[in-house]
Amino acid sequence: MRTFGAEEELLIVDPSTGAPLALADRMLAVAGRPADMSHEFKLEQVEVQTAPCRDHDELLSGLVAGRRIADRAARACGGRVVAIATSPLRIATSLTPDERFARMAQEFALTSREQLTCGLHVHVAVSSAEEGVAVLDRVREWLPVLIALSANSPYWFGADTGYASYRTQAWNRWPTSGPQELYGSVQAYRERIDSMLRTGSILDEGMAYFDARLSRNHPTVEIRIADVPLDAGDSALIAVLIRALVEMAAREADDGAAPFATSVAVLRLAAWRASRSGLGGELVHPLEGTHVPAAAAVQALLEHVGPALRDSGELARTEQALAELLARGTGEKAQRDAVATGGGLSAAVRMAAAHTVTRDGSWDDGARATLSFVRRGWERGPAMAPRRR
């Protein structure tokens, strides 16, 4: 199986008030500047990375270990780390001292000053740049469902946004963010980035903030569309789904199947819908382009990646994990539930601090009922629209 790995951006907060704290420098010093923890754009966040992994369990162990290392360093500095994708509380953010970041802050002004978002980035190995571009062309329609599955940012700088994933909206302020039109070849991919650089509107290739791109430093494709989930198990679930998406895309390319021709306009609408509704409403069906209940869009994703998951021995586990997630909701619901119990927006952060470094594998009756629904759909076989060439 293809190796894969994940990067999680974590918010650093005051454990009492929930306000973000600019402790990244101190945390990294306390932790001895480990290779698997690094600075991000703002001092109120850190990134933790797994090594390349072979399976779900290895990846999940790496995610949990990274969160725990970061939290121990934060505690030593008087803070905590939380896996939430935006800050519920309003603050003035602190730029990480770095020449490139300083240039970005000057050029992008308010977009830069207000940028404090935490995402999940998943890398999946590919055999070549050619295979990588073929994969990028064939995963586009499925990525908005991952926004819904990871949604964990209902609050933004002191306000209830009404969105499940407001991080998606904030991130899309960057001029290169979001989906891309089909490439067709590595040359076309390179020309797309070169044409962006020639405009002078971005500083370097690192600012090609596409939903999915070729890694500059590793033989991987990088899928960057998800919020950082509250639960490490959900991060591992999404990473497994992404690896299966990459595998299915590579198989389709090997079989000569053309990618879908869905326009960027429709893909943006699908991403907006997922950002707004999460798992609590309707999503855009990845193949039919129509609005459907969230569970139906998730089922379509499961059916699509089912062959790859079955070959890797991960199908049953993924069915169970999706059922649990559909039954209990994402971090967005957990944050809203925490606020509803009293304590204001700080309650959402305190809940996240208590949950970020734990793993709750419990199941309730709702999860089992949802699993039964998903399995019945799988047993009926794929219910997909004809491929659009």
Side-chain angles (χ1 to χ4, degrees):
M1 289 299 297
R2 298 172 188 272
T3 57
F4 64 145
E7 303 162 349
E8 289 190 312
E9 296 164 339
L10 304 172
L11 197 64
I12 310 164
V13 300
D14 184 304
S16 299
T17 67
L21 297 175
L23 296 178
D25 268 342
R26 291 172 57 190
M27 285 173 54
L28 287 164
V30 164
R33 303 195 178 278
D36 54 359
M37 186 167 70
S38 61
H39 281 106
E40 260 301 321
F41 190 47
K42 297 296 176 68
L43 288 172
E44 291 83 6
Q45 60 188 157
V46 292
E47 182 181 90
V48 293
Q49 307 99 17
T50 73
C53 301
R54 292 161 297 191
D55 57 34
H56 171 279
D57 289 347
E58 187 178 0
L59 183 78
L60 179 57
S61 294
L63 291 169
V64 172
R67 289 182 176 206
R68 289 177 175 168
I69 290 169
D71 194 55
R72 283 198 295 269
R75 286 172 181 263
C77 300
R80 296 293 303 274
V81 294
V82 293
I84 54 178
T86 56
S87 171
L89 303 178
R90 176 179 292 278
I91 66 156
T93 61
S94 308
L95 190 69
T96 296
D98 177 90
E99 180 181 352
R100 178 174 178 269
F101 290 164
R103 291 172 59 202
M104 289 172 61
Q106 181 177 13
E107 180 67 18
F108 295 96
L110 185 64
T111 294
S112 171
R113 292 196 296 275
E114 290 190 348
Q115 186 60 227
L116 182 61
T117 61
C118 296
L120 167 68
H121 302 164
V122 177
H123 288 259
V124 182
V126 290
S127 61
S128 64
E130 288 74 17
E131 182 180 66
V133 169
V135 164
L136 297 181
D137 281 350
R138 290 166 175 80
V139 299
R140 302 182 315 143
E141 286 79 8
W142 304 101
L143 300 186
V145 181
L146 302 179
I147 296 175
L149 290 171
S150 66
N152 189 24
S153 47
Y155 303 111
W156 172 259
F157 281 55
D160 184 337
T161 66
Y163 285 76
S165 169
Y166 194 73
R167 170 194 166 271
T168 299
Q169 305 305 312
W171 182 253
N172 283 343
R173 296 177 180 181
W174 294 108
T176 60
S177 63
Q180 291 288 303
E181 299 289 0
L182 296 174
Y183 301 109
S185 68
V186 175
Q187 180 180 354
Y189 178 87
R190 297 302 323 168
E191 288 176 350
R192 181 90 46 90
I193 292 177
D194 289 345
S195 68
M196 291 180 172
L197 290 170
R198 285 195 296 271
T199 71
S201 299
I202 59 174
L203 303 186
D204 51 38
E205 184 176 340
M207 287 196 70
Y209 293 144
F210 309 154
D211 290 343
R213 67 185 185 184
L214 299 182
S215 171
R216 293 180 298 156
N217 302 314
H218 307 287
T220 65
V221 292
E222 181 185 8
I223 309 298
R224 307 164 44 84
I225 201 168
D227 282 9
V228 63
L230 177 63
D231 192 294
D234 293 346
S235 292
L237 166 65
I238 290 167
V240 166
L241 288 169
I242 287 173
R243 179 168 71 165
L245 276 172
V246 170
E247 176 62 23
M248 292 304 298
R251 293 180 187 184
E252 289 175 349
D254 286 345
D255 291 342
F260 296 156
T262 307
S263 69
V264 163
V266 169
L267 293 176
R268 286 191 179 278
L269 287 172
W272 180 88
R273 184 73 266 166
S275 168
R276 177 66 174 86
S277 302
L279 294 180
E282 293 190 328
L283 300 177
V284 176
H285 194 286
L287 301 179
E288 298 169 1
T290 57
H291 57 98
V292 296
V298 172
Q299 183 177 329
L301 171 62
L302 178 61
E303 291 173 348
H304 173 68
V305 299
L309 292 173
R310 186 167 47 207
D311 290 347
S312 67
E314 294 169 327
L315 179 57
R317 184 198 294 257
T318 302
E319 286 178 332
Q320 292 180 353
L322 283 172
E324 182 186 20
L325 185 55
L326 285 165
R328 63 170 158 80
T330 64
E332 176 247 344
K333 183 177 184 299
Q335 288 193 53
R336 291 191 184 282
D337 288 348
V339 171
T341 63
L345 296 178
S346 296
V349 185
R350 290 193 295 270
M351 175 279 301
H355 195 89
T356 292
V357 295
T358 64
R359 288 170 57 187
D360 183 1
S362 62
W363 275 47
D364 59 20
D365 291 340
R368 290 188 173 88
T370 307
L371 172 60
S372 177
F373 165 77
V374 172
R375 280 182 171 159
R376 285 198 305 273
W378 175 254
E379 289 162 0
R380 286 195 302 268
M384 297 190 293
R387 289 190 64 91
R388 301 187 300 277
R389 301 294 180 180

